[in-house]
Amino acid sequence: MKDKITEKLQDIIYFFQDGIAELKIRHRKAGNQRERMRASLSPEEFKKYQQKEHLRTAAYLAVGIAGFLLVVFLIVGLFRLIGKAVSNISSEKEPVTEVMAPSETETVFPEKTITIGSTGCMLLHSPFIDSYPDVDGNYDFSSIYRYITPYYSAPDFMTCEFEGALGGEELGYSGYPTFRSPDVIIENIRDSGVDLQLLATNHIYDAWSAGFHRTSQIYEEKGIPYTGLRSSETDKKYYIADIQGVKVGFVNYVYETTTQTAALGYGSVKSLNGMVMEEADAPLINSFDYEELDSFYSEMKENIAGMKKEGAQFLIANLHWGTEYQLQESDVQREIAQKLCDLGVDALIGGHPHCEQPIDDFESQTDSHHMFCIFSEGNALSNQRAYLLAEEMPEGHTEDGVMVTLTLHQDSRGEVAITDVDLLPTWVYRYQDNGSKYYILPLDDVENLETLTGISGLKEEALASYTRTMEELEPGLEKVKKIYQA
């Protein structure tokens, strides 16, 4: 009986600890976000933003009240156990061995809902390098995120792909074909509301070995969470985030070109985008070879086991894969997706094709486990304009991106599942101001976009982008909503 009382006390203590930690995180993030909004928005826009935040606060208060009622329930149960213990001690009857039902020994998890957002690739082509330095050569890309920041900041946790390397001034900055970006871009991405940046892309080795190592070093110096790349072989190949007390595991991989470079006589040393890596560097990037998928599956099985051992309740795989400028996923993408579903991955989010590819749901071949999948989220930020890719994608799909938001629910047993999926189509708008400048624009209200942004003459192109995105993704979205909301 003493053990049961101790367990109940621990449940109550853990509950309060989780609640206090969540309040601290929310308060800090809300404060930082409020100051960013105050600096970047007009007074009217800031007022609207505050009104939205007040509504969200009211919702969180309602959740808090529900949590309080749960604590009351636990306390009542605790006193019942204490009363039973006192009764047993004072009784003159022979002691009776008490058989407890298994359910009474299980931890009761607080029911809660969290949201996880994700968007596609961010890569800086040459116009970004040419147009954004000030007179002293210093860069600041924060203006790009002016209109998208409230959306990136809305989910409880947000991710994106950063495609490129941080080689620094010594190695120089450049766009295509080698993406060597100024360091400040990763701070601008973080300040826009992104909590985790995914680095396993085919351009991570664009500044060769020195830039490869410098990239992870800069992330660590600035305290910006990342995964897909490691600074040493002792580091984990995955990242686990504690999101309001729910543990979510993220694992990020990129396809190799090792088989192709080996055929050209470069040996079996790993290569990315045709660039042969130093042997010491090869283990530090999460990658797979399309010709050696069994090795990839074995490695993923180890990653999944490791994440679950550390308490991960929901697993997300981010893959940089597929064929550029193809609106339809390939057979091998579907093969990989099915296998990852069978291994226990809960959501698969893809990038690299520079355009969006469909949404689908996969069901395990061995049990009833389901996995959400978007094969590609497209470009969140780039200079891949329609007129520049007239042969590859003349209709403008490379200007389009999407932000996916997964709503997850934790039940009283601690099991976490998707209950809803939402999409926010985005469009990269380019304008001239001492060179080419850019905004990532949210397309949730195209009808009023010109009024909301103060930018005239963009409605037709914005509507075309929105239409392209929904034509590509809406059928799959409707399918998964029916499954997860059932």
Side-chain angles (χ1 to χ4, degrees):
M1 182 63 67
K2 182 179 179 181
D3 290 340
K4 301 304 169 190
I5 295 172
T6 301
E7 285 180 8
K8 288 291 183 181
L9 279 171
Q10 287 177 337
D11 286 342
I12 295 171
I13 291 169
Y14 290 153
F15 181 87
F16 277 113
Q17 287 176 337
D18 285 346
I20 292 169
E22 289 171 22
L23 286 173
K24 287 181 178 179
I25 292 170
R26 284 193 173 280
H27 180 72
R28 184 174 65 252
K29 189 168 183 178
N32 293 338
Q33 177 60 18
R34 187 165 51 253
E35 292 308 311
R36 289 198 296 268
M37 291 298 95
R38 191 191 303 276
S40 62
L41 299 180
S42 67
E44 287 188 5
E45 291 172 330
F46 182 67
K47 184 177 180 181
K48 291 180 181 178
Y49 166 76
Q50 284 186 307
Q51 290 173 344
K52 281 181 67 177
E53 286 303 297
H54 290 157
L55 290 174
R56 290 182 67 193
T57 301
Y60 293 143
L61 180 61
V63 174
I65 292 171
F68 174 75
L69 293 175
L70 176 61
V71 171
V72 171
F73 171 78
L74 290 172
I75 291 173
V76 170
L78 175 62
F79 278 107
R80 288 181 64 187
L81 284 172
I82 292 173
K84 199 179 284 188
V86 171
S87 175
N88 286 340
I89 291 170
S90 60
S91 174
E92 295 181 359
K93 295 181 179 181
E94 291 294 321
V96 178
T97 302
E98 186 175 2
V99 179
M100 304 295 289
S103 60
E104 293 184 59
T105 66
E106 294 176 357
T107 300
V108 177
F109 288 79
E111 295 221 14
K112 62 176 64 178
T113 297
I114 65 170
T115 52
I116 298 177
S118 173
T119 194
C121 302
M122 297 192 187
L123 60 166
L124 302 185
H125 287 86
S126 297
F128 292 89
I129 307 302
D130 298 337
S131 300
Y132 277 88
D134 61 18
V135 292
D136 297 318
N138 299 313
Y139 285 89
D140 181 6
F141 302 99
S142 59
S143 62
I144 291 170
Y145 301 96
R146 175 181 178 183
Y147 299 106
I148 201 66
T149 292
Y151 297 86
Y152 285 177
S153 301
D156 296 306
F157 197 83
M158 179 70 188
T159 70
C160 82
E161 280 193 305
F162 170 65
E163 192 161 0
L166 305 177
E169 290 186 23
E170 290 186 4
L171 293 177
Y173 306 132
S174 61
Y176 180 83
T178 54
F179 291 89
R180 301 177 180 181
S181 304
D183 297 349
V184 72
I185 181 61
I186 67 172
E187 295 179 86
N188 299 145
I189 293 172
R190 175 200 61 196
D191 293 343
S192 74
V194 173
D195 299 290
L196 177 67
Q197 298 183 34
L198 310 165
L199 304 185
T201 76
N202 61 314
H203 288 291
I204 189 62
Y205 213 67
D206 279 8
W208 296 107
S209 182
F212 179 75
H213 288 280
R214 187 180 181 278
T215 298
S216 58
Q217 176 187 344
I218 295 301
Y219 271 90
E220 289 170 10
E221 287 178 358
K222 296 182 181 297
I224 299 176
Y226 69 96
T227 192
L229 171 65
R230 299 184 292 164
S231 58
S232 73
E233 290 190 56
T234 58
D235 294 337
K236 296 170 185 173
K237 294 182 178 180
Y238 50 80
Y239 180 91
I240 295 180
D242 190 316
I243 308 171
Q244 297 190 46
V246 178
K247 288 190 175 182
V248 179
F250 296 86
V251 62
N252 175 214
Y253 273 75
V254 58
Y255 74 95
E256 300 172 13
T257 53
T258 303
T259 301
Q260 295 92 312
T261 51
L264 296 174
Y266 289 96
S268 59
V269 179
K270 182 186 293 186
S271 72
L272 297 177
N273 213 32
M275 303 176 76
V276 179
M277 304 183 71
E278 298 287 340
E279 287 193 40
D281 298 342
L284 303 180
I285 181 73
N286 289 351
S287 63
F288 67 92
D289 190 333
Y290 283 118
E291 304 299 323
E292 297 287 342
L293 288 177
D294 285 343
S295 297
F296 172 52
Y297 299 147
S298 177
E299 194 168 309
M300 279 296 298
K301 191 173 182 179
E302 292 179 6
N303 289 330
I304 290 169
M307 288 187 285
K308 287 187 174 181
K309 186 176 181 181
E310 292 188 39
Q313 300 160 270
F314 191 87
L315 306 179
I316 299 178
N318 295 89
L319 297 188
H320 201 77
W321 64 345
T323 306
E324 291 182 318
Y325 314 121
Q326 297 298 310
L327 292 172
Q328 191 65 38
E329 77 278 9
S330 64
D331 290 342
V332 71
Q333 282 175 277
R334 294 199 68 85
E335 173 192 332
I336 293 171
Q338 183 62 61
K339 182 63 177 181
L340 294 189
C341 175
D342 294 342
L343 290 175
V345 171
D346 298 294
L348 194 165
I349 298 172
H352 172 64
H354 301 301
C355 60
E356 294 151 337
Q357 291 183 340
I359 288 172
D360 206 348
D361 171 80
F362 285 80
E363 185 173 1
S364 173
Q365 296 175 337
T366 57
D367 55 34
S368 59
H369 172 71
H370 281 262
M371 182 186 79
F372 167 83
C373 176
I374 177 168
F375 289 99
S376 175
E377 291 181 309
N379 286 335
L381 180 65
S382 80
N383 185 54
Q384 291 192 315
R385 315 307 296 178
Y387 77 91
L388 293 173
L389 291 129
E391 293 185 9
E392 294 90 345
M393 303 209 85
E395 295 181 4
H397 291 89
T398 52
E399 299 179 13
D400 309 333
V402 68
M403 174 181 166
V404 175
T405 301
L406 303 179
T407 300
L408 309 183
H409 179 75
Q410 173 182 270
D411 65 19
S412 60
R413 297 168 296 174
E415 295 183 3
V416 178
I418 299 173
T419 56
D420 200 7
V421 180
D422 288 302
L423 301 183
L424 173 71
T426 62
W427 174 51
V428 181
Y429 171 73
R430 187 175 73 171
Y431 64 101
Q432 294 299 312
D433 182 12
N434 294 320
S436 295
K437 300 292 177 64
Y438 305 80
Y439 290 129
I440 303 174
L441 295 182
L443 302 183
D444 57 332
D445 188 1
V446 177
E447 188 66 30
N448 296 303
L449 187 60
E450 292 186 3
T451 301
L452 294 170
T453 61
I455 305 171
S456 60
L458 55 71
K459 181 177 177 181
E460 184 177 343
E461 287 184 274
L463 181 59
S465 174
Y466 175 87
T467 301
R468 290 191 297 264
T469 292
M470 297 312 292
E471 285 179 349
E472 185 68 18
L473 301 182
E474 193 167 32
L477 178 65
E478 292 178 354
K479 175 182 177 179
V480 299
K481 275 183 172 288
K482 289 179 181 178
I483 294 171
Y484 303 141
Q485 293 177 351

